[in-house]
Amino acid sequence: MAEELDEKVLDSLAEIDKLYTVFDGASQEDVAHAKLFWNSLSLQPPIESRLVSADVRQRLKVAKGSHSTNAATKLTSQSKRDEIHQDVYLKQKQEERQKYMEMAKKRDQIIALLKKQRYERIKKEMISIQHKPRKETLEERLASKTISSPVNEDQKEVQELQ
């Protein structure tokens, strides 16, 4: 009995060896690449064995007798679906409008704040301009430098006398 089992095992091993390619004398790296290559290739199953196919009609046709009642229910269910879609669409549109209104309100608040800050800055500048020292204009600077030296001498003499 043991001999029969050994023979069956050897036969099954021989059949398995026929199915698989053995890479004798090749490096481990080449064997790994070859196995990866051959495992990546696979044939598509025939069209008959696929579960879903575009070529084969999957549904049976509807019976003729129930067609008239089915059409009426289709119309009512279609109108209900359209009504639901319309409600959803209007709700989305309203939410979008609300969002834009909030953005516009926020924008108006920011503009009002900027105007207020500008007004306050100008007001402060107007107050402080009265207390700033007056800068000489270019003409005044040039006029003070072009005073003749005899006038300066006269002024010095008058100061000495006093």
Side-chain angles (χ1 to χ4, degrees), residues 38-53:
W38 287 112
N39 288 336
S40 68
L41 295 178
S42 63
L43 296 174
Q44 294 293 325
I47 196 166
E48 295 84 16
S49 65
R50 293 187 188 167
L51 294 176
V52 177
S53 174

Side-chain angles (χ1 to χ4, degrees), residues 92-153:
Q92 287 175 346
K93 201 119 164 106
Q94 187 177 16
E95 289 173 355
E96 189 174 332
R97 184 177 291 129
Q98 182 68 25
K99 182 177 82 170
Y100 284 122
M101 293 297 287
E102 289 173 5
M103 288 171 61
K105 191 183 292 184
K106 191 173 183 179
R107 179 180 169 269
D108 291 340
Q109 290 173 347
I110 290 171
I111 290 173
L113 178 64
L114 290 173
K115 284 182 180 179
K116 180 182 172 188
Q117 289 174 344
R118 180 177 180 262
Y119 173 75
E120 290 175 359
R121 187 184 74 244
I122 291 172
K123 186 175 149 184
K124 288 178 183 177
E125 286 176 2
M126 296 305 285
I127 293 171
S128 67
I129 203 166
Q130 298 169 355
H131 302 289
K132 284 186 179 178
R134 191 174 146 242
K135 293 184 178 180
E136 288 185 79
T137 62
L138 183 60
E139 295 169 1
E140 291 173 348
R141 279 192 242 151
L142 289 176
S144 65
K145 290 181 180 179
T146 59
I147 296 176
S148 63
S149 59
V151 173
N152 283 342
E153 289 175 11

Side-chain angles (χ1 to χ4, degrees), residues 34-96:
K35 283 183 181 179
L36 182 68
F37 172 74
W38 287 112
N39 288 336
S40 68
L41 295 178
S42 63
L43 296 174
Q44 294 293 325
I47 196 166
E48 295 84 16
S49 65
R50 293 187 188 167
L51 294 176
V52 177
S53 174
D55 299 342
V56 180
R57 299 221 12 117
Q58 298 292 321
R59 294 182 169 221
L60 297 174
K61 293 185 178 183
V62 179
K64 304 260 182 190
S66 65
H67 182 66
S68 60
T69 58
N70 198 8
T73 57
K74 280 184 182 180
L75 288 176
T76 57
S77 64
Q78 181 67 27
S79 63
K80 286 179 184 178
R81 272 190 260 135
D82 289 343
E83 189 176 317
I84 291 170
H85 286 298
Q86 184 70 19
D87 290 343
V88 170
Y89 175 74
L90 291 175
K91 185 176 180 181
Q92 287 175 346
K93 201 119 164 106
Q94 187 177 16
E95 289 173 355
E96 189 174 332

Side-chain angles (χ1 to χ4, degrees), residues 27-38:
S27 68
Q28 289 294 338
E29 186 178 348
D30 290 340
V31 171
H33 287 295
K35 283 183 181 179
L36 182 68
F37 172 74
W38 287 112

